[in-house]
């Protein structure tokens, strides 16, 4: 989300095309009812708990120029691939005049209308009329018709962008990975994780930052709801994983313990899925490996995508040595043990 704010027209269009009105539901119903006559595309799904490096990986792969992705310029018409691309191409804003600015997270990442982003969650919002009444649940089963419509949604966006490979970065998709990785069995899934203390501190800091911004500007909260971003902020709600306790932020006196526990739940779920289902199209990659261009796993992964490491993908390790932070040592030990186990796993 841009920091400079949204005009009255911006806000109106977002509410019409992404809100709970007739037009947004009509566009979703069209995805369900119509077959796609556009070519199928290869897909690279990027997911993981927020603040694990998913955006950095998305930006780097997208910068190579041989893949498509949903971009800010597709907003707010993202539910209709044809219309969204038409307005992206015919915007009055010159491509040479697009200004990059730091995104709301305050993490140094610059965004513009051309930047790729997680913009497919509105599809899942429309799919579930009770989306905002409950947490995203790993036990939810999606019908084959919904999965086909999601595939059409992705394929159509890629085709209108003139690419045959599509990057889909959506942190929420990690909770759907069991079904998605089976349905898209010929496509690639990358699950990112990060040193648990660093990720927990980043989640906590971002949560505080977003809450502050949302209190200053209520439309930021509305905008994040349009896109299904509920991982932090005033609308924050944790994921619900089968066989793992559901967490609420106010249950923890120390917020850092809450985020470490969220980390444990998310990656315990992923770990169990990998060991039980043994998917052949899922790659586990740590943020720390991303930041090491000589990582054997990263090199092998890039080779599978026909990406030469000489392209010199750029990742900056923002982990720090944290002193004076208060957290439950036993929780962190549990998280680090899980981190080390996952680091050894890859099914590609």
């Amino acid at each position: 989300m841009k920091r400079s704010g949204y005009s009255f027209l911006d806000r109106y269009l977002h509410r019409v095309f992404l809100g709970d009105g007739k037009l947004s539901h009509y566009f979703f119903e069209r995805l369900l009812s119509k077959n796609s006559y556009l070519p199928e595309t290869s897909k690279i799904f990027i997911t993981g708990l927020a603040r694990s490096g998913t955006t950095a990986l998305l930006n780097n792969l997208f910068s190579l120029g041989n893949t498509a992705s949903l971009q800010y310029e597709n907003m707010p018409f993202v539910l209709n691939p044809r219309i969204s691309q038409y307005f992206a191409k015919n915007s009055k804003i010159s491509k040479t005049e697009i200004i990059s600015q730091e995104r709301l997270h305050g993490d140094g990442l610059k965004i513009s209308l051309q930047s790729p982003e997680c913009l497919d969650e509105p599809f899942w919002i429309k799919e579930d009329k009770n989306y905002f009444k409950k947490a995203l649940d790993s036990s939810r089963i999606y019908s084959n018709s919904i999965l086909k419509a999601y595939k059409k949604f992705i394929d159509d966006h890629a085709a209108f962008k003139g690419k045959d490979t599509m990057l889909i970065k959506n942190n929420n998709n990690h909770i759907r990975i069991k079904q998605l990785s089976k349905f898209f069995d010929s496509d690639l899934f990358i699950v990112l994780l990060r040193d648990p203390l660093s990720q927990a501190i980043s989640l906590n800091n971002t949560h505080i930052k977003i809450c502050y911004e949302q209190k200053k500007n209520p439309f930021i909260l509305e905008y994040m709801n349009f896109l299904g971003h509920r991982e932090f902020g005033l609308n924050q709600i944790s994921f619900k994983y089968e066989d793992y306790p559901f967490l609420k932020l106010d249950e923890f006196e120390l917020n850092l313990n809450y985020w470490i526990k969220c980390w444990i739940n998310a990656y315990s779920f992923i770990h169990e899925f990998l060991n039980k289902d043994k998917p052949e199209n899922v790659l586990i990659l740590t943020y720390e490996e991303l930041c090491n261009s000589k990582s054997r796993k990263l090199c092998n992964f890039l080779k599978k995508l026909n990406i030469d490491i000489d392209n010199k993908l750029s990742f900056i390790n923002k982990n720090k040595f944290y002193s004076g932070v208060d957290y439950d040592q036993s929780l962190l030990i549990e998280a680090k043990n899980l981190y080390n186990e996952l680091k050894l796993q890859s099914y590609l």
Side-chain angles (χ1 to χ4, degrees), residues 18 31 41-46 54-55 57-63 66-86 88 111-124 149-163 165-171 173 176 223 226-227 229:
L18 291 173
L31 290 170
T41 59
S42 298
K43 299 164 189 69
I44 303 169
F45 293 89
I46 302 171
T54 53
T55 299
L57 179 58
L58 171 68
N59 286 344
N60 270 270
L61 293 180
F62 182 74
S63 70
N66 52 4
T67 60
S69 179
L70 292 170
Q71 297 162 266
Y72 283 104
E73 67 180 8
N74 295 121
M75 290 288 284
F77 314 106
V78 68
L79 284 170
N80 188 297
R82 184 186 297 274
I83 292 177
S84 75
Q85 195 57 26
Y86 173 83
I111 60 172
S112 74
L113 288 176
Q114 297 291 282
S115 299
E117 180 51 302
C118 167
L119 300 175
D120 62 306
E121 191 65 15
F123 175 93
W124 301 108
Y150 182 53
K151 178 179 180 297
K152 167 182 164 52
F153 171 79
I154 296 169
D155 286 340
D156 286 3
H157 269 291
F160 287 126
K161 289 174 179 289
K163 300 290 186 180
T165 301
M166 187 74 168
L167 295 169
I168 308 99
K169 173 251 175 178
N170 185 338
N171 293 335
N173 272 343
R176 308 179 182 110
Y223 177 92
F226 287 149
L227 297 186
H229 289 325

Coordinates of all heavy atoms in Angstrom, one line a residue, residues 18 31 41-46 54-55 57-63 66-86 88 111-124 149-163 165-171 173 176 223 226-227 229:
L18 N -13.7 -4.1 -5.1 CA -13.2 -5.1 -4.1 C -14.1 -5.3 -2.9 O -13.9 -6.2 -2.1 CB -11.8 -4.7 -3.7 CG -10.7 -4.8 -4.8 CD1 -9.4 -4.3 -4.2 CD2 -10.5 -6.3 -5.2
L31 N -15.7 -15.8 -13.1 CA -14.5 -16.7 -13.0 C -15.0 -18.1 -12.8 O -14.4 -19.1 -13.3 CB -13.6 -16.3 -11.9 CG -12.8 -15.0 -12.1 CD1 -12.1 -14.6 -10.8 CD2 -11.8 -15.1 -13.2
T41 N -0.5 -21.5 -18.1 CA 0.8 -21.0 -17.8 C 1.5 -21.8 -16.7 O 0.8 -22.5 -15.9 CB 0.7 -19.5 -17.2 OG1 -0.1 -19.5 -16.1 CG2 0.1 -18.6 -18.3
S42 N 2.8 -21.8 -16.7 CA 3.5 -22.3 -15.5 C 3.4 -21.4 -14.4 O 3.3 -20.2 -14.5 CB 5.0 -22.5 -15.9 OG 5.2 -23.4 -17.0
K43 N 3.4 -22.0 -13.2 CA 3.2 -21.2 -12.0 C 4.2 -21.4 -10.9 O 4.7 -22.6 -10.7 CB 1.8 -21.4 -11.4 CG 0.7 -21.1 -12.4 CD -0.6 -21.7 -12.0 CE -1.7 -21.6 -13.1 NZ -1.3 -22.4 -14.3
I44 N 4.7 -20.3 -10.3 CA 5.6 -20.4 -9.1 C 4.9 -19.8 -7.9 O 4.7 -18.6 -7.9 CB 6.9 -19.7 -9.4 CG1 7.6 -20.3 -10.7 CG2 7.9 -19.9 -8.2 CD1 8.8 -19.5 -11.2
F45 N 4.5 -20.6 -7.0 CA 3.8 -20.1 -5.8 C 4.9 -19.8 -4.7 O 5.7 -20.7 -4.4 CB 2.8 -21.1 -5.3 CG 1.6 -21.3 -6.2 CD1 1.7 -22.3 -7.2 CD2 0.5 -20.6 -6.0 CE1 0.6 -22.5 -8.0 CE2 -0.6 -20.8 -6.9 CZ -0.6 -21.7 -7.9
I46 N 4.8 -18.6 -4.1 CA 5.7 -18.2 -3.0 C 4.9 -18.0 -1.8 O 3.9 -17.2 -1.9 CB 6.5 -17.0 -3.4 CG1 7.3 -17.2 -4.7 CG2 7.4 -16.6 -2.2 CD1 8.0 -15.9 -5.2
T54 N 9.3 -13.4 1.7 CA 8.5 -13.8 0.5 C 8.5 -12.6 -0.5 O 8.6 -12.8 -1.8 CB 7.1 -14.2 0.8 OG1 6.5 -13.2 1.6 CG2 7.1 -15.5 1.6
T55 N 8.4 -11.4 0.0 CA 8.3 -10.2 -0.9 C 9.7 -10.0 -1.6 O 9.8 -9.7 -2.8 CB 7.9 -8.9 -0.2 OG1 6.6 -9.1 0.3 CG2 7.9 -7.7 -1.1
L57 N 11.9 -12.3 -2.3 CA 12.1 -13.3 -3.4 C 11.2 -13.0 -4.6 O 11.7 -13.1 -5.7 CB 11.7 -14.7 -2.8 CG 11.8 -15.8 -3.8 CD1 13.2 -16.0 -4.4 CD2 11.4 -17.2 -3.2
L58 N 10.0 -12.6 -4.4 CA 9.1 -12.2 -5.4 C 9.7 -11.1 -6.3 O 9.8 -11.1 -7.5 CB 7.7 -11.7 -4.9 CG 6.8 -11.1 -5.9 CD1 6.2 -12.1 -6.9 CD2 5.6 -10.4 -5.1
N59 N 10.2 -10.0 -5.6 CA 10.8 -8.9 -6.3 C 12.0 -9.3 -7.2 O 12.1 -8.8 -8.3 CB 11.2 -7.8 -5.3 CG 10.0 -7.0 -4.8 OD1 8.9 -7.1 -5.3 ND2 10.2 -6.3 -3.7
N60 N 12.8 -10.1 -6.6 CA 14.0 -10.5 -7.3 C 13.7 -11.4 -8.5 O 14.3 -11.2 -9.6 CB 14.9 -11.3 -6.4 CG 15.9 -10.4 -5.6 OD1 17.0 -10.1 -6.1 ND2 15.5 -9.9 -4.5
L61 N 12.8 -12.4 -8.4 CA 12.5 -13.2 -9.5 C 11.7 -12.4 -10.6 O 12.0 -12.5 -11.8 CB 11.6 -14.4 -9.1 CG 12.3 -15.4 -8.2 CD1 11.3 -16.5 -7.8 CD2 13.5 -16.0 -8.9
F62 N 10.8 -11.5 -10.2 CA 10.1 -10.7 -11.1 C 11.0 -9.7 -11.9 O 10.8 -9.4 -13.1 CB 9.0 -9.9 -10.4 CG 8.2 -9.0 -11.3 CD1 7.2 -9.6 -12.0 CD2 8.3 -7.6 -11.3 CE1 6.4 -8.8 -12.9 CE2 7.5 -6.9 -12.1 CZ 6.5 -7.4 -12.9
S63 N 12.1 -9.2 -11.2 CA 13.0 -8.3 -11.8 C 13.7 -8.9 -13.0 O 14.3 -8.1 -13.9 CB 14.0 -7.7 -10.8 OG 14.9 -8.7 -10.4
N66 N 11.3 -12.4 -17.0 CA 10.7 -13.5 -17.8 C 9.5 -14.1 -17.2 O 9.0 -15.1 -17.6 CB 11.8 -14.5 -18.1 CG 12.4 -15.0 -16.8 OD1 12.1 -14.6 -15.7 ND2 13.4 -15.9 -17.0
T67 N 8.9 -13.4 -16.2 CA 7.7 -13.9 -15.5 C 6.7 -12.8 -15.4 O 7.1 -11.6 -15.3 CB 8.0 -14.5 -14.2 OG1 8.6 -13.5 -13.3 CG2 8.9 -15.7 -14.2
A68 N 5.5 -13.1 -15.2 CA 4.4 -12.2 -14.9 C 4.1 -12.3 -13.4 O 4.4 -13.3 -12.7 CB 3.2 -12.4 -15.7
S69 N 3.4 -11.3 -12.9 CA 2.9 -11.3 -11.5 C 1.8 -10.3 -11.4 O 1.8 -9.3 -12.2 CB 4.0 -11.0 -10.5 OG 3.5 -11.0 -9.2
L70 N 0.9 -10.4 -10.5 CA 0.0 -9.4 -10.2 C 0.8 -8.2 -9.7 O 1.7 -8.3 -8.9 CB -1.1 -9.8 -9.2 CG -2.0 -10.9 -9.7 CD1 -2.8 -11.5 -8.5 CD2 -2.9 -10.4 -10.8
Q71 N 0.4 -7.0 -10.1 CA 1.1 -5.7 -9.8 C 0.1 -4.7 -9.3 O -1.1 -4.8 -9.5 CB 1.8 -5.2 -11.0 CG 2.9 -6.1 -11.6 CD 3.3 -5.8 -13.0 OE1 2.7 -6.3 -13.9 NE2 4.2 -4.9 -13.1
Y72 N 0.7 -3.7 -8.6 CA -0.2 -2.6 -8.0 C -1.0 -2.0 -9.1 O -2.1 -1.5 -8.9 CB 0.7 -1.6 -7.3 CG 1.1 -2.1 -5.9 CD1 2.5 -2.5 -5.7 CD2 0.3 -2.1 -4.9 CE1 2.9 -2.9 -4.5 CE2 0.7 -2.5 -3.6 CZ 2.0 -2.9 -3.4 OH 2.4 -3.3 -2.2
E73 N -0.5 -1.9 -10.3 CA -1.2 -1.3 -11.4 C -2.5 -2.1 -11.8 O -3.3 -1.5 -12.5 CB -0.3 -1.2 -12.7 CG 0.1 -2.5 -13.3 CD 1.0 -2.3 -14.5 OE1 1.4 -1.2 -14.8 OE2 1.2 -3.4 -15.2
N74 N -2.6 -3.3 -11.3 CA -3.8 -4.1 -11.6 C -4.9 -3.7 -10.6 O -6.1 -4.2 -10.8 CB -3.5 -5.6 -11.5 CG -2.6 -6.0 -12.6 OD1 -1.5 -6.6 -12.3 ND2 -3.0 -5.8 -13.9
M75 N -4.6 -2.9 -9.6 CA -5.6 -2.5 -8.6 C -6.5 -1.4 -9.2 O -6.0 -0.5 -9.9 CB -5.0 -2.1 -7.3 CG -4.3 -3.3 -6.6 SD -5.6 -4.4 -5.9 CE -6.1 -3.4 -4.5
P76 N -7.8 -1.3 -8.8 CA -8.5 -2.3 -7.9 C -9.3 -3.2 -8.7 O -10.3 -3.8 -8.2 CB -9.4 -1.3 -7.1 CG -9.8 -0.3 -8.1 CD -8.5 -0.1 -9.0
F77 N -9.0 -3.5 -10.0 CA -9.8 -4.3 -10.9 C -9.3 -5.7 -11.0 O -9.6 -6.4 -12.0 CB -9.7 -3.6 -12.3 CG -10.0 -2.2 -12.3 CD1 -8.9 -1.3 -12.6 CD2 -11.2 -1.6 -12.1 CE1 -9.1 0.1 -12.6 CE2 -11.4 -0.3 -12.1 CZ -10.4 0.6 -12.3
V78 N -8.5 -6.2 -10.0 CA -7.8 -7.4 -10.1 C -8.7 -8.6 -10.3 O -8.3 -9.6 -10.9 CB -6.9 -7.6 -8.8 CG1 -7.8 -7.8 -7.6 CG2 -6.0 -8.7 -9.0
L79 N -10.0 -8.6 -9.9 CA -10.9 -9.7 -10.0 C -11.3 -9.9 -11.5 O -11.9 -11.0 -11.8 CB -12.1 -9.5 -9.1 CG -11.9 -9.8 -7.6 CD1 -13.1 -9.4 -6.8 CD2 -11.6 -11.2 -7.4
N80 N -11.0 -8.9 -12.3 CA -11.3 -9.1 -13.8 C -10.0 -8.9 -14.5 O -9.6 -7.8 -14.8 CB -12.4 -8.1 -14.2 CG -12.8 -8.4 -15.7 OD1 -12.0 -8.3 -16.6 ND2 -14.1 -8.7 -15.9
P81 N -9.3 -10.0 -14.9 CA -8.0 -9.9 -15.5 C -8.0 -9.0 -16.7 O -7.0 -8.2 -16.9 CB -7.7 -11.3 -15.8 CG -8.4 -12.1 -14.8 CD -9.7 -11.4 -14.6
R82 N -9.0 -9.1 -17.6 CA -9.0 -8.3 -18.8 C -9.1 -6.8 -18.5 O -8.3 -6.0 -19.1 CB -10.2 -8.7 -19.7 CG -10.2 -8.0 -21.1 CD -11.4 -8.4 -21.9 NE -11.5 -9.8 -22.2 CZ -10.9 -10.4 -23.2 NH1 -10.3 -9.6 -24.1 NH2 -11.1 -11.7 -23.4
I83 N -10.0 -6.4 -17.7 CA -10.2 -5.0 -17.3 C -9.0 -4.5 -16.6 O -8.5 -3.4 -16.9 CB -11.5 -4.8 -16.5 CG1 -12.7 -5.1 -17.4 CG2 -11.5 -3.4 -16.0 CD1 -14.0 -5.0 -16.6
S84 N -8.5 -5.3 -15.7 CA -7.3 -4.8 -14.9 C -6.1 -4.5 -15.8 O -5.4 -3.5 -15.6 CB -6.9 -5.8 -13.8 OG -6.3 -6.9 -14.3
Q85 N -5.9 -5.4 -16.8 CA -4.8 -5.2 -17.7 C -5.0 -4.0 -18.7 O -4.1 -3.3 -19.0 CB -4.4 -6.4 -18.5 CG -3.1 -6.5 -19.1 CD -1.9 -6.2 -18.1 OE1 -2.0 -6.5 -17.0 NE2 -0.8 -5.7 -18.6
Y86 N -6.3 -3.8 -19.1 CA -6.6 -2.7 -19.9 C -6.3 -1.4 -19.2 O -5.7 -0.5 -19.8 CB -8.1 -2.8 -20.3 CG -8.5 -1.5 -21.1 CD1 -8.3 -1.4 -22.4 CD2 -9.2 -0.5 -20.4 CE1 -8.7 -0.3 -23.1 CE2 -9.6 0.7 -21.1 CZ -9.3 0.8 -22.4 OH -9.7 1.9 -23.1
A88 N -4.3 -1.0 -16.7 CA -2.8 -0.9 -16.5 C -2.1 -0.3 -17.7 O -1.2 0.5 -17.6 CB -2.3 -2.2 -16.1
I111 N 8.2 0.5 -3.5 CA 7.2 0.0 -4.3 C 6.7 1.1 -5.3 O 6.9 2.3 -5.0 CB 6.0 -0.5 -3.5 CG1 5.4 0.6 -2.7 CG2 6.3 -1.8 -2.7 CD1 4.0 0.2 -2.0
S112 N 6.2 0.7 -6.4 CA 5.6 1.6 -7.4 C 4.4 0.9 -8.0 O 4.1 -0.3 -7.7 CB 6.6 2.0 -8.4 OG 6.8 0.9 -9.3
L113 N 3.7 1.5 -8.9 CA 2.6 0.8 -9.6 C 3.1 -0.4 -10.4 O 2.3 -1.4 -10.6 CB 1.9 1.8 -10.6 CG 1.1 2.9 -10.0 CD1 0.6 3.8 -11.1 CD2 -0.1 2.3 -9.2
Q114 N 4.4 -0.5 -10.7 CA 4.9 -1.6 -11.5 C 5.3 -2.7 -10.6 O 5.6 -3.8 -11.1 CB 6.1 -1.1 -12.3 CG 5.8 -0.1 -13.3 CD 5.0 -0.6 -14.5 OE1 5.5 -1.3 -15.3 NE2 3.7 -0.4 -14.4
S115 N 5.3 -2.5 -9.3 CA 5.8 -3.6 -8.3 C 4.9 -4.7 -8.3 O 3.6 -4.6 -8.3 CB 6.0 -3.0 -6.9 OG 7.0 -1.9 -6.9
P116 N 5.4 -6.0 -8.2 CA 4.6 -7.1 -8.0 C 4.1 -7.2 -6.5 O 4.7 -6.7 -5.6 CB 5.5 -8.3 -8.3 CG 6.9 -7.8 -7.9 CD 6.8 -6.3 -8.2
E117 N 2.9 -7.8 -6.3 CA 2.4 -7.9 -5.0 C 1.4 -9.0 -4.8 O 1.0 -9.6 -5.8 CB 1.7 -6.5 -4.6 CG 1.1 -6.4 -3.2 CD 2.0 -6.8 -2.1 OE1 2.5 -7.9 -2.1 OE2 2.2 -6.0 -1.2
C118 N 1.1 -9.4 -3.6 CA 0.1 -10.4 -3.3 C -1.3 -9.8 -3.5 O -1.8 -9.0 -2.6 CB 0.3 -10.9 -1.9 SG -1.1 -11.8 -1.3
L119 N -1.9 -10.1 -4.6 CA -3.2 -9.5 -4.9 C -4.2 -10.5 -5.4 O -5.3 -10.2 -5.9 CB -3.1 -8.4 -6.1 CG -2.1 -7.2 -5.8 CD1 -2.0 -6.3 -7.0 CD2 -2.6 -6.4 -4.6
D120 N -3.9 -11.8 -5.1 CA -4.9 -12.8 -5.5 C -5.8 -13.2 -4.3 O -6.8 -13.9 -4.5 CB -4.2 -14.1 -5.9 CG -3.3 -14.7 -4.9 OD1 -2.4 -13.9 -4.3 OD2 -3.4 -15.9 -4.6
E121 N -5.6 -12.7 -3.1 CA -6.4 -13.1 -2.0 C -7.9 -12.6 -2.1 O -8.8 -13.3 -1.6 CB -5.8 -12.5 -0.7 CG -6.5 -13.1 0.6 CD -6.3 -14.6 0.8 OE1 -5.4 -15.2 0.2 OE2 -7.0 -15.1 1.7
P122 N -8.2 -11.5 -2.9 CA -9.6 -11.2 -3.1 C -10.4 -12.3 -3.7 O -11.6 -12.4 -3.5 CB -9.5 -10.0 -4.1 CG -8.2 -9.3 -3.6 CD -7.3 -10.4 -3.3
F123 N -9.7 -13.2 -4.5 CA -10.4 -14.4 -5.0 C -11.0 -15.2 -3.9 O -12.1 -15.6 -3.9 CB -9.5 -15.2 -5.9 CG -10.1 -16.5 -6.4 CD1 -10.7 -16.5 -7.6 CD2 -10.0 -17.6 -5.6 CE1 -11.3 -17.7 -8.1 CE2 -10.6 -18.8 -6.1 CZ -11.2 -18.9 -7.3
W124 N -10.1 -15.5 -2.9 CA -10.5 -16.3 -1.8 C -11.5 -15.6 -0.9 O -12.3 -16.3 -0.2 CB -9.3 -16.8 -1.0 CG -8.3 -17.5 -1.8 CD1 -7.1 -17.1 -2.3 CD2 -8.4 -18.8 -2.4 NE1 -6.5 -18.0 -3.0 CE2 -7.3 -19.1 -3.1 CE3 -9.4 -19.8 -2.3 CZ2 -7.1 -20.3 -3.8 CZ3 -9.3 -21.0 -2.9 CH2 -8.1 -21.3 -3.7
A149 N -11.4 -22.4 -11.0 CA -11.6 -21.0 -11.2 C -10.4 -20.2 -10.8 O -10.0 -19.2 -11.4 CB -12.8 -20.5 -10.5
Y150 N -9.7 -20.6 -9.7 CA -8.5 -19.9 -9.3 C -7.4 -20.1 -10.3 O -6.6 -19.1 -10.6 CB -8.0 -20.6 -8.0 CG -6.8 -19.9 -7.3 CD1 -6.7 -18.6 -7.1 CD2 -5.7 -20.7 -7.0 CE1 -5.6 -18.0 -6.5 CE2 -4.6 -20.2 -6.4 CZ -4.5 -18.8 -6.2 OH -3.4 -18.3 -5.6
K151 N -7.3 -21.3 -10.9 CA -6.3 -21.5 -12.0 C -6.6 -20.6 -13.2 O -5.7 -20.0 -13.8 CB -6.4 -23.0 -12.4 CG -5.5 -23.3 -13.6 CD -5.6 -24.8 -13.9 CE -4.7 -25.2 -15.1 NZ -5.1 -24.5 -16.3
K152 N -7.9 -20.5 -13.6 CA -8.3 -19.6 -14.7 C -8.0 -18.1 -14.3 O -7.4 -17.4 -15.2 CB -9.8 -19.7 -14.9 CG -10.4 -18.6 -15.8 CD -11.9 -18.8 -16.0 CE -12.6 -17.5 -16.5 NZ -12.0 -17.0 -17.7
F153 N -8.2 -17.7 -13.1 CA -7.9 -16.4 -12.6 C -6.4 -16.1 -12.9 O -6.0 -15.0 -13.4 CB -8.2 -16.3 -11.2 CG -7.7 -15.0 -10.4 CD1 -8.5 -13.9 -10.6 CD2 -6.6 -15.1 -9.6 CE1 -8.0 -12.7 -9.9 CE2 -6.2 -13.9 -8.9 CZ -6.9 -12.8 -9.1
I154 N -5.5 -17.0 -12.5 CA -4.1 -16.9 -12.7 C -3.7 -16.9 -14.1 O -2.9 -16.1 -14.6 CB -3.3 -18.0 -11.9 CG1 -3.6 -17.8 -10.4 CG2 -1.8 -17.9 -12.2 CD1 -3.1 -19.0 -9.5
D155 N -4.2 -17.9 -14.9 CA -3.8 -18.1 -16.3 C -4.2 -16.9 -17.1 O -3.5 -16.4 -18.0 CB -4.5 -19.3 -16.9 CG -3.8 -20.6 -16.4 OD1 -2.7 -20.6 -16.0 OD2 -4.5 -21.7 -16.5
D156 N -5.4 -16.3 -16.8 CA -5.9 -15.2 -17.6 C -5.0 -13.9 -17.3 O -4.7 -13.2 -18.3 CB -7.3 -14.9 -17.2 CG -8.3 -15.9 -17.8 OD1 -7.8 -16.8 -18.5 OD2 -9.5 -15.7 -17.7
H157 N -4.6 -13.7 -16.1 CA -3.8 -12.6 -15.8 C -2.4 -12.7 -16.5 O -2.0 -11.7 -17.1 CB -3.5 -12.5 -14.3 CG -4.5 -11.6 -13.6 ND1 -4.6 -10.2 -13.7 CD2 -5.5 -11.9 -12.7 CE1 -5.6 -9.7 -13.0 NE2 -6.1 -10.7 -12.3
A158 N -1.9 -13.9 -16.5 CA -0.6 -14.1 -17.2 C -0.7 -13.9 -18.7 O 0.1 -13.3 -19.3 CB -0.1 -15.5 -16.9
A159 N -1.8 -14.4 -19.3 CA -2.0 -14.3 -20.7 C -2.1 -12.9 -21.1 O -1.6 -12.4 -22.1 CB -3.2 -15.1 -21.1
F160 N -2.9 -12.1 -20.4 CA -3.1 -10.7 -20.7 C -1.8 -9.9 -20.5 O -1.7 -8.8 -21.1 CB -4.3 -10.1 -19.9 CG -5.6 -10.6 -20.4 CD1 -6.5 -11.1 -19.5 CD2 -6.0 -10.5 -21.7 CE1 -7.8 -11.6 -19.9 CE2 -7.3 -10.9 -22.1 CZ -8.1 -11.5 -21.2
K161 N -0.9 -10.4 -19.7 CA 0.4 -9.7 -19.5 C 1.4 -10.3 -20.6 O 2.5 -9.8 -20.6 CB 0.9 -10.0 -18.1 CG 0.1 -9.2 -17.1 CD 0.5 -9.6 -15.6 CE -0.2 -8.8 -14.6 NZ 0.1 -7.4 -14.5
G162 N 1.0 -11.2 -21.3 CA 1.9 -11.7 -22.4 C 3.0 -12.6 -21.9 O 4.1 -12.7 -22.5
K163 N 2.8 -13.3 -20.8 CA 3.9 -14.2 -20.2 C 3.3 -15.6 -20.1 O 2.1 -15.8 -20.0 CB 4.3 -13.7 -18.9 CG 4.9 -12.3 -18.9 CD 6.3 -12.2 -19.5 CE 6.9 -10.8 -19.4 NZ 8.2 -10.8 -20.0
T165 N 4.8 -17.7 -17.7 CA 5.1 -18.1 -16.3 C 4.5 -17.0 -15.4 O 4.8 -15.9 -15.6 CB 6.6 -18.3 -16.1 OG1 7.1 -19.3 -17.0 CG2 6.9 -18.8 -14.7
M166 N 3.9 -17.5 -14.3 CA 3.2 -16.5 -13.4 C 3.8 -16.8 -12.0 O 3.9 -17.9 -11.5 CB 1.7 -16.7 -13.4 CG 1.0 -15.7 -12.6 SD 0.9 -14.1 -13.4 CE -0.4 -13.3 -12.4
L167 N 4.2 -15.7 -11.3 CA 4.6 -15.7 -9.9 C 3.4 -15.3 -9.1 O 2.8 -14.3 -9.3 CB 5.7 -14.7 -9.7 CG 7.1 -14.9 -10.4 CD1 7.9 -13.6 -10.2 CD2 7.8 -16.1 -9.7
I168 N 3.1 -16.2 -8.1 CA 2.0 -15.9 -7.2 C 2.5 -15.9 -5.8 O 2.8 -16.9 -5.2 CB 0.8 -16.9 -7.3 CG1 0.4 -17.1 -8.7 CG2 -0.3 -16.5 -6.4 CD1 1.0 -18.2 -9.4
K169 N 2.7 -14.7 -5.2 CA 3.2 -14.6 -3.8 C 2.0 -14.3 -2.9 O 1.3 -13.3 -3.1 CB 4.2 -13.5 -3.7 CG 4.6 -13.2 -2.2 CD 4.1 -11.9 -1.7 CE 4.4 -11.7 -0.3 NZ 3.9 -10.4 0.2
N170 N 1.7 -15.2 -2.0 CA 0.5 -15.1 -1.1 C 0.9 -15.8 0.2 O 0.9 -17.1 0.2 CB -0.7 -15.6 -1.8 CG -2.0 -15.3 -0.9 OD1 -1.9 -15.1 0.3 ND2 -3.1 -15.3 -1.5
N171 N 1.1 -15.1 1.2 CA 1.5 -15.7 2.5 C 0.3 -16.6 3.0 O 0.5 -17.6 3.7 CB 1.9 -14.7 3.5 CG 3.2 -14.0 3.2 OD1 4.0 -14.5 2.5 ND2 3.3 -12.7 3.7
N173 N -1.5 -18.5 1.4 CA -1.6 -19.7 0.7 C -0.9 -20.9 1.4 O -1.2 -22.1 1.1 CB -1.1 -19.6 -0.7 CG -2.1 -19.2 -1.7 OD1 -3.3 -19.3 -1.5 ND2 -1.7 -18.7 -2.9
R176 N -3.3 -23.2 2.7 CA -4.0 -24.0 1.7 C -3.1 -25.0 0.9 O -3.5 -25.6 -0.1 CB -4.7 -23.0 0.7 CG -5.5 -22.0 1.3 CD -6.1 -21.0 0.2 NE -6.9 -20.0 0.8 CZ -6.5 -18.7 0.8 NH1 -5.4 -18.3 0.3 NH2 -7.3 -17.8 1.4
Y223 N -8.5 -1.0 3.4 CA -7.7 -1.4 2.2 C -7.1 -2.8 2.5 O -7.1 -3.7 1.7 CB -6.6 -0.4 1.9 CG -5.6 -0.8 0.8 CD1 -5.9 -0.4 -0.5 CD2 -4.5 -1.6 1.1 CE1 -5.0 -0.8 -1.5 CE2 -3.6 -1.9 0.0 CZ -3.9 -1.5 -1.2 OH -3.0 -1.9 -2.2
F226 N -9.7 -5.4 2.1 CA -9.9 -5.7 0.7 C -9.0 -6.8 0.2 O -9.4 -7.6 -0.6 CB -9.8 -4.4 -0.1 CG -10.8 -3.4 0.0 CD1 -10.5 -2.1 -0.1 CD2 -12.1 -3.8 0.3 CE1 -11.5 -1.1 0.0 CE2 -13.1 -2.8 0.5 CZ -12.8 -1.5 0.3
L227 N -7.7 -6.7 0.7 CA -6.7 -7.7 0.1 C -6.5 -8.9 1.0 O -5.7 -9.7 0.8 CB -5.4 -6.9 0.0 CG -5.4 -5.8 -1.0 CD1 -4.0 -5.2 -1.2 CD2 -6.0 -6.2 -2.4
H229 N -5.3 -9.0 4.1 CA -4.0 -8.9 4.9 C -4.4 -8.7 6.3 O -4.7 -7.6 6.8 CB -3.2 -7.7 4.5 CG -2.5 -7.9 3.1 ND1 -2.1 -9.1 2.7 CD2 -2.2 -7.0 2.1 CE1 -1.5 -8.9 1.5 NE2 -1.6 -7.7 1.1

